[in-house]
């Protein structure tokens, strides 16, 4: 045996059997360089186009930030010291510029080491309210956009635990904020308490088939702490720094002003709390106040929601989805179920939408009935509005044009389609701000509406702008994007200005904003000038490949070749395939290609693209459709379709001559991890696998998972067949399991990976389990991400490049 082989064998032995390192590791320099690249800012633009805000943030949190105090209560994760979500994404700088200018100006007066969030533009968009989280708590700040200056309006007294913390009064001179109540009581530290008694849950015989939510209340002390953290006082704070009390302490949730600013709709969380569901299914009360804080009317009181009918389209009965009609001064709209909220009931119409005008007395006036479950309305004027509905079971969505002033007039169905059918997507209606500063349907002088579409077709992606005559129901295509070697995203269109806002990018060019003209056909005006921060991989070959599954279904994936790869040589390299299964009800939708080779190559924290810098072929976003047509459910043949998808993908790249098919790894996150474990258990296609934050025993999620509506007792064979845990004895391929210790995702308890690892270990499989401290379902701390990348790199190097991979995987 050569010296090199001896060294590799020794390394594999150390990596596999020695006491694992307990300190964070970093990946090789090629990957580290990509991780450390400086991100471009997020972009906000005022409607007038006068100001462009550039919001900068660190790409990652630190493990120290994730280690700050955290309470997990009723579906929330709260920092009890600062009174804001413990997982809040913070920005650390704001700059401002005029669109088209290359240089931006800093905002003067911002706090030192800022942690900024909760951004809210004033009604006239001349000011920006925001919060800064200091060591003591959450402060209120305001930025004057014209002067590019910031000032603090309050001390660390804001309460952002239930979000929706800042709302502007309509005159733009003050904001309504949630402040810590003066009578807040100290929180209970259960670790130091002697229990007064057991925790008891009861049921009176009703069915309560809820998903496996995490971070729920567990005992009376949790309930007490939740109430203390949820309570706040409403305070009116003026932009000159003055303030006055507006409403006494309560558990305030969502808050919204009427379009004219004369009324305020306030939702409060009520008791009793629940140990079964998150806070947004606790009892609630919706109340209308005038702008001075005087009670007008209590509109709605909702009881605890623990026992909805079964199904994704289930709803509670009574008023729901309350919102302001955006084209009227003060008119409420709401929906009510016509099927008792039960998807199993067959009815002609599922929902009825009503409106209720100020002062909100009497029953609401009917507006429109929807055949599916009501989603939302895009308001236009008294004669024109657009309603949308949706039905999960058959993936149907309808778009209606109706006359709000005449409920007796039959609505016109503008589109009736499978929402998974991307080729038939008519696009989204363009909106604009009206005199109330509310979004309404953008209509030109002739009453025409406009749609922006992604433009996916069998021949490629061609985004478009359509003008629609709402009287004749005729469309005129105003614009089709046909850029070569670039990708164009249509962001917004202002008909009165003939101004189309777009993003243009390519595989190697960072997305930048541009203005285009559709009528005058003026050349594009570049608004931002962001450069590619990932230059070391900008020349890699990238293409979208299409291929067929054994049953003839068309599939697609994005193929990357390694840095410096010579295509003519066709050197066979190892490959990592990354995917995520998706369920469909028809083959046509499942076969559609929505990938674009000109999309900017962005190696985010969970991406496999990093490994093009390490000599690997990467097949990313490989299509893994799971189809169940008619009465058949997709999961009835989940495993068979999963293996067929994987084999088709490997066959396609192998036929191109790029890979050694004996050295292919598969990876996935969440449901993708579930896919990985199933593929390794039920096929011999792979030499190694990487599964992050998955669920592996479906009996631990007995009331449904992913897109499965049936419970365990209705389809036990499906739950058993799909669970990798039940087939751990079939695992013959090296598997790397990674999971966040603080995973909050429904169903993917950390216990899922721990129990699966124990089963695999007990049965003699080659497996490694990495539990990342403080991490949730998506990983945030840089230390965690670097270590995750190191683990994945070592696993791939060991089992795809090392000489022992054949023996380890059972391959000949």
């Amino acid at each position: 045996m050569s010296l090199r082989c001896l060294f590799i064998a020794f390394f594999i032995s150390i990596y596999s059997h020695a006491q694992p390192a307990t300190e964070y590791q970093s990946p090789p320099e090629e990957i580290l360089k990509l991780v450390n690249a400086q991100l471009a800012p997020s972009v906000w633009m005022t409607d007038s186009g006068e100001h462009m805000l550039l919001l900068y943030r660190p790409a990652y949190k630190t493990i120290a930030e994730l280690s700050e105090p955290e309470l997990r209560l009723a579906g929330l994760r709260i920092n009890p010291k600062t009174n804001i979500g413990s997982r809040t994404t913070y920005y650390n700088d704001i700059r401002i510029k005029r669109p088209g200018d290359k240089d931006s100006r800093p905002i003067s007066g911002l706090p030192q080491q800022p942690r900024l969030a909760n951004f809210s533009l004033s009604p006239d968009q001349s000011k920006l309210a925001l919060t800064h989280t200091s060591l003591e708590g959450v402060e209120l700040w305001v930025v004057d956009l014209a002067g590019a200056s910031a000032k603090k309006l309050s001390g660390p007294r804001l309460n952002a635990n239930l979000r929706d913390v800042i709302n502007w009064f309509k005159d733009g001179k003050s904001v309504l904020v949630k402040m810590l109540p003066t009578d807040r009581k100290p929180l209970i530290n259960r670790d130091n308490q002697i229990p007064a008694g057991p925790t008891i849950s009861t049921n009176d015989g009703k069915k309560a088939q809820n998903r496996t939510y995490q971070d729920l209340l567990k005992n009376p002390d949790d309930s007490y702490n939740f109430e203390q953290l949820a309570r706040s006082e409403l305070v009116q704070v003026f932009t000159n720094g003055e303030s006055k009390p507006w409403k006494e302490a309560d558990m305030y949730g969502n808050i919204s002003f009427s379009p004219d600013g004369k009324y305020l709709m306030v939702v409060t969380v009520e008791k009793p709390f629940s140990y079964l569901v998150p806070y947004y299914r606790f009892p609630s009360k919706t109340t209308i106040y005038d702008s001075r804080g005087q009670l007008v009317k209590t509109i709605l009181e909702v009881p605890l929601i623990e026992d909805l009918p079964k199904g994704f389209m289930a709803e509670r009965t009574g008023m729901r989805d309350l919102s302001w009609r955006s084209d009227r001064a003060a008119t409420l709209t709401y929906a009510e179920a016509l099927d008792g909220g039960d998807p199993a009931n067959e009815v002609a119409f599922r929902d009825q939408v009503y409106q209720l005008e100020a002062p909100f007395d009497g029953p609401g006036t009917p507006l429109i009935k929807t055949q599916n479950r009501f989603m939302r309305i895009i308001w236009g004027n008294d004669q024109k509005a657009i309603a949308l509905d949706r039905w999960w079971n058959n993936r149907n969505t309808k778009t209606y044009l109706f006359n709000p002033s005449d409920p007796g007039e039959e609505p016109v169905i503008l589109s009736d389609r499978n929402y998974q059918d991307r080729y038939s997507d008519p696009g989204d209606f363009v909106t604009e701000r009206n005199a109330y500063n509310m979004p309404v349907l953008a209509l030109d002088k002739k009453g025409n509406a406009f749609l922006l579409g992604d433009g996916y077709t069998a021949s490629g992606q061609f985004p478009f702008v359509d003008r629609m005559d709402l009287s004749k129901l005729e469309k005129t295509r105003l614009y089709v994007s046909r850029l070569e070697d670039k990708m164009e995203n249509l962001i917004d269109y202002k008909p009165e200005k003939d101004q189309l806002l777009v993003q243009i990018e390519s595989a190697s060019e960072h997305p930048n904003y541009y203005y285009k003209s559709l009528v005058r056909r003026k050349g594009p005006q570049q608004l931002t000038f962001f450069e590619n921060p990932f230059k070391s991989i900008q020349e890699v070959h990238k293409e979208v490949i299409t291929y067929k599954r054994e049953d003839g279904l068309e599939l697609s994936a994005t193929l990357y070749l390694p840095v410096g790869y010579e295509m003519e040589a066709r050197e066979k390299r190892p490959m990592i395939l990354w995917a995520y299964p998706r369920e469909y009800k028809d083959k046509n939708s499942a076969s559609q290609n929505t990938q674009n080779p000109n999309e900017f190559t962005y190696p985010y924290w969970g991406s496999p693209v990093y490994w093009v810098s390490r000599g690997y072929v990467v097949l990313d976003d490989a299509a893994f459709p799971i189809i169940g047509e008619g009465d058949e459910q997709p999961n009835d043949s989940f495993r068979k379709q999963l293996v067929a998808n994987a084999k088709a993908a490997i066959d396609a790249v192998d036929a191109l001559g790029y890979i050694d098919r004996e050295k292919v790894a598969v990876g996935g996150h969440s449901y993708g991890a579930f896919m990985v474990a199933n593929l390794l258990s039920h096929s011999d296609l792979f030499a190694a696998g990487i599964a992050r934050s998955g669920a592996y025993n479906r009996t631990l999620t007995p009331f449904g998972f992913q897109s499965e509506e049936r419970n365990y007792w209705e389809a036990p064979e499906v739950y058993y067949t799909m669970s990798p845990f039940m087939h751990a004895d079939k695992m013959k391929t090296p598997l790397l399991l990674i999971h966040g210790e603080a995973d909050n995702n429904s169903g993917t308890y950390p216990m899922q990976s721990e129990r699966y690892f124990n089963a695999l270990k007990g049965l003699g499989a080659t497996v490694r389990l990495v539990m990342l401290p403080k991490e949730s379902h998506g990983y945030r701390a840089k230390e965690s991400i670097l270590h995750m990348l190191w683990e994945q790199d070592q696993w791939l190097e060991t089992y795809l490049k090392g000489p022992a991979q054949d023996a380890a995987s059972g391959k000949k």
Side-chain angles (χ1 to χ4, degrees), residues 72-74 187-188 190 199-200 216-231 251 269-276 282:
R72 305 172 191 173
L73 302 170
L187 300 181
I188 294 174
R190 190 173 176 83
T199 299
I200 299 173
L216 299 179
L217 302 180
K218 297 180 177 63
N219 50 62
D221 291 346
D222 279 354
S223 298
Y224 170 88
N225 285 342
F226 172 79
E227 181 177 7
Q228 295 307 311
L229 291 165
R231 293 176 72 250
M251 291 182 285
V269 178
E270 304 292 325
K271 293 181 178 180
F273 300 153
S274 170
Y275 296 149
L276 291 179
F282 290 178

Side-chain angles (χ1 to χ4, degrees), residues 493-745:
Y493 181 55
K494 298 188 184 310
E496 76 285 356
K497 293 184 178 181
D498 184 34
Q499 191 178 76
L500 179 66
L501 179 64
V502 304
Q503 266 187 329
I504 298 177
E505 62 192 86
S506 75
S508 61
E509 296 176 5
H510 193 283
N512 276 295
Y513 288 85
Y514 296 79
Y515 275 146
K516 283 190 170 184
S517 169
L518 304 189
V519 178
R520 298 187 298 273
R521 300 292 180 181
K522 292 173 60 178
Q525 176 193 356
Q526 189 167 353
L527 307 179
T528 60
F529 302 86
F530 306 133
E531 295 186 356
N532 184 353
F534 309 112
K535 294 188 183 298
S536 64
I537 61 170
Q538 66 179 1
E539 300 299 330
V540 300
H541 176 79
K542 175 182 181 181
E543 65 175 305
V544 173
I545 62 171
T546 58
Y547 48 95
K548 289 186 178 181
R549 202 165 73 174
E550 62 184 6
D551 59 359
L553 188 72
E554 290 276 353
L555 302 177
S556 61
T558 301
L559 176 68
Y560 300 84
L561 298 182
V563 171
Y565 187 87
E566 296 182 6
M567 296 181 65
E568 297 77 12
R570 287 296 197 272
E571 179 187 356
K572 294 185 180 296
R573 298 288 188 90
M575 182 178 82
I576 178 168
L577 182 158
W578 205 270
Y580 189 93
R582 300 185 188 280
E583 296 86 347
Y584 295 86
K585 289 299 292 179
D586 70 299
K587 292 180 179 178
N588 174 61
S589 300
S591 67
Q592 294 179 0
N593 178 8
T594 57
Q595 300 187 57
N596 191 322
N598 299 317
E599 183 178 6
F600 179 62
T601 301
Y602 172 60
Y604 68 96
W605 68 267
S607 170
V609 175
Y610 291 108
W611 277 272
V612 298
S613 70
R614 298 280 289 158
Y616 293 84
V617 173
V618 174
L619 192 67
D620 193 17
D621 201 17
F624 265 65
I626 309 296
I627 306 165
E629 294 188 303
D631 294 332
E632 182 184 356
Q633 293 299 317
N635 287 340
D636 292 345
S637 55
F638 178 84
R639 276 175 23 190
K640 179 181 178 181
Q641 294 191 64
L642 209 63
V643 174
N645 291 329
K647 183 177 184 302
I650 295 172
D651 286 348
V653 186
D654 185 34
L656 294 173
Y658 297 135
I659 63 168
D660 178 349
R661 67 177 301 138
E662 297 298 310
K663 296 183 179 181
V664 178
V666 61
H669 189 91
S670 192
Y671 207 55
F674 177 71
M675 170 201 75
V676 169
N678 268 299
L679 284 172
L680 299 191
S681 298
H682 303 294
S683 78
D684 60 356
L685 296 169
F686 299 98
I690 298 170
R692 298 193 314 237
S693 297
Y696 309 102
N697 184 349
R698 299 278 49 141
T699 68
L700 298 178
T701 56
F703 292 109
F705 57 90
Q706 200 70 7
S707 293
E708 179 58 66
E709 284 190 309
R710 296 168 295 185
N711 66 41
Y712 169 77
W713 294 272
E714 292 172 319
E717 70 287 349
V718 171
Y719 279 69
Y720 178 87
T721 301
M722 290 181 67
S723 294
F725 181 88
M726 306 302 180
H727 308 280
D729 58 322
K730 298 181 177 68
M731 178 63 71
K732 300 296 186 291
T733 308
L735 175 62
L736 173 63
L737 294 168
I738 303 176
H739 214 120
E741 285 185 352
D743 195 329
N744 67 333
N745 185 55

Side-chain angles (χ1 to χ4, degrees), residues 88-151:
T88 299
T89 296
Y90 292 115
Y91 292 80
N92 61 1
D93 192 19
I94 308 175
R95 299 182 71 90
I96 192 168
K97 74 184 194 75
R98 293 183 181 277
D101 290 350
K102 287 193 174 182
D103 297 326
S104 60
R105 293 186 293 162
I107 301 293
S108 64
L110 287 173
Q112 296 293 317
Q113 298 180 328
R115 296 204 292 173
L116 311 176
N118 298 298
F119 302 100
S120 178
L121 282 169
S122 63
D124 65 359
Q125 299 195 345
S126 67
K127 303 179 187 69
L128 177 71
L130 61 142
T131 62
H132 163 58
T133 303
S134 69
L135 295 177
E136 291 75 30
V138 181
E139 304 166 349
L140 176 65
W141 286 68
V142 67
V143 173
D144 175 69
L145 300 187
S149 61
K151 66 177 180 180

Side-chain angles (χ1 to χ4, degrees), residues 444-464:
D444 66 12
K445 294 178 180 179
K446 295 182 179 180
N448 296 312
F450 299 84
L451 297 111
L452 304 183
D454 291 329
Y456 291 112
T457 74
S459 304
Q461 185 181 5
F462 306 100
F464 61 84

Side-chain angles (χ1 to χ4, degrees), residues 7 156 176 206 253 256 393 412 419 430 477 501 575 738 740 743 765:
F7 174 79
L176 189 66
K206 291 182 179 180
S256 62
N393 303 70
V412 177
Y419 59 75
V430 175
R477 185 137 297 180
L501 179 64
M575 182 178 82
I738 303 176
D743 195 329

